[in-house]
Amino acid sequence: MPINYSDHQLKLSLRGSKVLIVDDQLLSIIVLRKILSVHFNIVTASSGEEAISICKRSPPDIILLDINMEGMSGIETCLKLKNTSETQSIPVIFVTSFENQEEECWEAGAVDYIKKPINPETLFRRVRAHITMKIQHDLLNQKVFLDDLTKVFNRRYFDAHFSKMERSALREKVDYALLLIDIDYFKQYNDIYGHVQGDTVLNLVAQTITNSLQRPTDFVARYGGEEFVVVLPHTSIEGAICVADKIKKNVIDLGILHKYSEYEFVTISIGGSTLQPYESNKNTLQLADEKMYESKKQGRNQVCF
């Protein structure tokens, strides 16, 4: 896809892009911030550890990373980011005065390498070019991985990311949670109110689930029919239950009338599981599926873990 800087949507995306500058030298941060803050939103970190924490909490669109830092080096930081599913797609540019480590930077997964002293125009143009490519890549992925009806991620996206996320969680020895959500009596809803109104309900429920999630790394996908799956990285069972209860409440609070339901409104049943109580013969998806059906057996409009 050719780059078109005159495209209005692209210009807006570029203007709102977030750049994370990682350097343990305050002067370097000041210089880079001065060059780029006119064009982008700037976030800074003074260590690799702080940068990784920021990326997991609120991923930037690009990272400018120094090599030589106290504690975790820039190379180690980049490798850590590239080996973590929720941060591996963030482009990294090394900005450094070291000339003998360029090959290591490429091997670590960097998309570019800029030597100090900085040429301000070169820095801006190269950062803009890489952010533009990321935006266009994200837009293309949206077309491939978004559900046509609800505009949340589709089953293909979930299937592509689930196994990678699980391997990453096992490798890092961190917990994550999975919620499987089913709209109660949806077939009967379609029979009573029609498929056009049923599609409206699917959209409303999908957006309600999305709006109930608070972190950029959390996501919802349409799993099939009236089922949705929610992925919550770095989440304990207690945290997952809180999110599930919030989603369940927000859906019934929509007040969508459903004559067939004993609750009089559209409700959902939720089954959840986490990695920690992992059973050798079952994965988290199987466990969440079993718990969802348990929720239905218990009377629907329930959360079961």
Side-chain angles (χ1 to χ4, degrees):
M1 182 188 299
I3 294 175
N4 181 4
Y5 289 114
S6 66
D7 181 79
H8 182 64
Q9 182 183 3
L10 182 57
K11 282 185 175 181
L12 287 176
S13 297
L14 283 168
R15 195 175 301 129
S17 296
K18 182 164 66 175
V19 177
L20 172 60
I21 299 170
V22 188
D23 201 309
D24 62 354
Q25 298 298 313
L26 180 59
L27 181 59
S28 294
I29 289 178
I30 291 172
V31 170
L32 293 173
R33 181 193 284 275
K34 185 176 181 180
I35 296 169
L36 297 174
S37 60
V38 177
H39 310 283
F40 310 108
N41 295 321
I42 304 299
V43 180
T44 63
S46 57
S47 69
E49 292 86 352
E50 184 184 2
I52 290 169
S53 177
I54 290 171
C55 289
K56 288 182 176 180
R57 187 171 65 249
S58 180
D61 295 292
I62 198 165
I63 301 169
L64 302 185
L65 184 59
D66 187 29
I67 292 179
N68 188 27
M69 298 187 294
E70 290 290 329
M72 186 182 291
S73 73
I75 300 293
E76 292 171 323
T77 302
C78 188
L79 286 169
K80 180 77 170 176
L81 290 166
K82 295 302 173 183
N83 286 321
T84 304
S85 59
E86 60 261 45
T87 59
Q88 62 187 194
S89 64
I90 305 171
V92 175
I93 298 177
F94 279 100
V95 182
T96 181
S97 56
F98 285 80
E99 296 188 6
N100 60 345
Q101 289 185 280
E102 183 172 350
E103 185 176 348
E104 282 186 77
C105 294
W106 297 122
E107 291 295 325
V111 298
D112 210 340
Y113 178 92
I114 300 176
K115 294 179 183 178
K116 296 178 182 178
I118 301 294
N119 179 306
E121 186 65 17
T122 298
L123 176 68
F124 162 63
R125 289 186 177 276
R126 286 164 83 167
V127 168
R128 182 179 67 174
H130 285 293
I131 292 178
T132 299
M133 286 188 282
K134 181 180 184 295
I135 291 170
Q136 292 179 329
H137 180 265
D138 290 346
L139 289 172
L140 181 60
N141 274 344
Q142 284 182 11
K143 293 179 180 179
V144 174
F145 289 123
L146 283 191
D147 177 61
D148 289 337
L149 176 63
T150 62
K151 306 307 178 187
V152 298
F153 290 117
N154 56 22
R155 175 70 176 270
R156 182 185 300 162
Y157 180 89
F158 173 76
D159 288 343
H161 287 74
F162 175 64
S163 59
K164 289 191 295 183
M165 181 196 66
E166 190 157 75
R167 288 197 300 271
S168 176
L170 286 167
R171 184 172 58 249
E172 295 181 43
K173 297 181 180 179
V174 295
D175 209 355
Y176 78 88
L178 205 64
L179 307 178
L180 202 56
I181 301 169
D182 186 77
I183 302 176
D184 296 325
Y185 302 118
F186 188 69
K187 180 183 181 302
Q188 290 83 354
Y189 187 92
N190 277 332
D191 291 342
I192 297 168
Y193 300 98
H195 288 275
V196 173
Q197 188 61 29
D199 287 350
T200 299
V201 169
L202 284 170
N203 268 305
L204 285 170
V205 171
Q207 294 312 309
T208 301
I209 296 171
T210 301
N211 293 337
S212 300
L213 306 179
Q214 296 182 331
R215 301 176 305 176
T217 52
D218 301 339
F219 74 86
V220 56
R222 187 179 178 191
Y223 193 66
E226 68 273 22
E227 289 186 349
F228 297 90
V229 61
V230 172
V231 179
L232 303 169
H234 298 272
T235 303
S236 66
I237 189 168
E238 292 81 10
I241 291 171
C242 287
V243 174
D245 284 336
K246 180 180 179 182
I247 293 171
K248 179 175 73 70
K249 179 182 183 300
N250 289 345
V251 168
I252 200 167
D253 283 351
L254 290 172
I256 303 170
L257 292 175
H258 191 345
K259 290 191 293 186
Y260 190 88
S261 172
E262 61 265 47
Y263 297 98
E264 300 181 5
F265 300 102
V266 168
T267 60
I268 55 176
S269 294
I270 303 178
S273 63
T274 66
L275 184 65
Q276 288 305 313
Y278 196 90
E279 298 179 12
S280 60
N281 62 332
K282 295 178 182 177
N283 63 29
T284 46
L285 182 59
Q286 289 174 303
L287 289 169
D289 186 58
E290 291 175 5
K291 293 298 181 180
M292 185 189 73
Y293 281 100
E294 192 173 321
S295 295
K296 288 189 174 293
K297 288 178 182 178
Q298 290 181 7
R300 293 178 169 80
N301 193 32
Q302 305 287 327
V303 172
C304 189
F305 273 78

